[in-house]
Amino acid sequence: MSNLANYSGFALEEAQEDKNKYTKTDNEINYLKFKSGDNVIRVLPARNGEKPFAKVYQHFVKTPKGTVSFRCPRIAEGRPCLVCEKSSTLKASSNEDERDLGYDMAAKLRVYCNVIDRSEPEKGIQVASFGKQIYAQLSSIRDDKVAGGDFTHPLKGF
C-alpha cells in the first residue's frame, strides 16, 4: 500500500463552510459612520492580553473605478511594496502635482476598534475606523487622569 493512504481530499461540506467563513463582505461588517459634530461612543474593552485598538498602515490609491485600499506589506511584514517605491519616487519629484500624488498614496495609519454608538445603541457593536489625529486625541485622554483616564476599562470606562 502506498503512502497516499495517509492523505484525503477536501470535502464539499468543508469547502462550503470555509467559503462562508472567509468571504464576508464589508456590508456584513457593521462599520460606524461618524456624523458631523460630536460623536459619543463607548470604546469597548479588549480581552485580557489584547489591545483595544488595531493599528494598520494602509495605502489609499485612486483608480478610475474608485479608491482602492490595502495594508502596506513593507510596514506590516517587511516585504517589498511597489506603492511605497512609487510614492517615494513621486515625493522626490520637482513637479508639485507628482509630489502631492506621492504623499496621497503613501501608507497612512488607520486605527480600528470595537465601539457602541451612544446615540444609536440598538445598532450594537460596530467597528470604528479613524486616523492618527483622532487616535492621538484618544491617547491624550487615556494618559490624562483629569481628562478621564482609561475609557476602555470594563467597569470604570466611559
Side-chain angles (χ1 to χ4, degrees), residues 3 17 25-26 43 50 56 68 93 102 105 108-109 120 130 132 140-141 152 157-158:
N3 287 338
E17 184 179 313
T25 65
D26 282 348
V43 177
E50 295 181 9
V56 178
V68 176
S93 172
M105 63 192 305
K108 294 171 182 60
L109 176 67
E120 298 178 293
F130 43 85
K132 67 180 181 181
S140 294
I141 294 170
T152 67
F158 57 93

Side-chain angles (χ1 to χ4, degrees), residues 11 20 27 59 77 80 106:
N20 293 337
N27 295 338
H59 289 286
E77 301 162 1

Side-chain angles (χ1 to χ4, degrees), residues 76-93:
E77 301 162 1
R79 293 187 2 226
C81 178
L82 296 174
V83 177
C84 283
E85 290 173 20
K86 184 66 174 177
S87 172
S88 293
T89 302
L90 290 170
K91 288 191 284 187
S93 172

Side-chain angles (χ1 to χ4, degrees), residues 23-94:
T23 57
K24 286 188 175 186
T25 65
D26 282 348
N27 295 338
E28 295 171 352
I29 298 171
N30 195 7
Y31 284 102
L32 173 68
K33 292 177 179 59
F34 287 102
K35 301 167 197 74
S36 286
D38 293 338
N39 289 270
V40 180
I41 61 171
R42 170 68 160 101
V43 177
L44 299 179
R47 291 186 176 140
N48 286 335
E50 295 181 9
K51 297 178 182 179
F53 299 100
K55 293 174 265 192
V56 178
Y57 280 85
Q58 290 181 284
H59 289 286
F60 296 88
V61 180
K62 294 177 184 167
T63 71
K65 293 185 177 183
T67 302
V68 176
S69 68
F70 57 93
R71 186 180 63 155
C72 176
R74 180 184 62 83
I75 296 172
E77 301 162 1
R79 293 187 2 226
C81 178
L82 296 174
V83 177
C84 283
E85 290 173 20
K86 184 66 174 177
S87 172
S88 293
T89 302
L90 290 170
K91 288 191 284 187
S93 172
S94 59

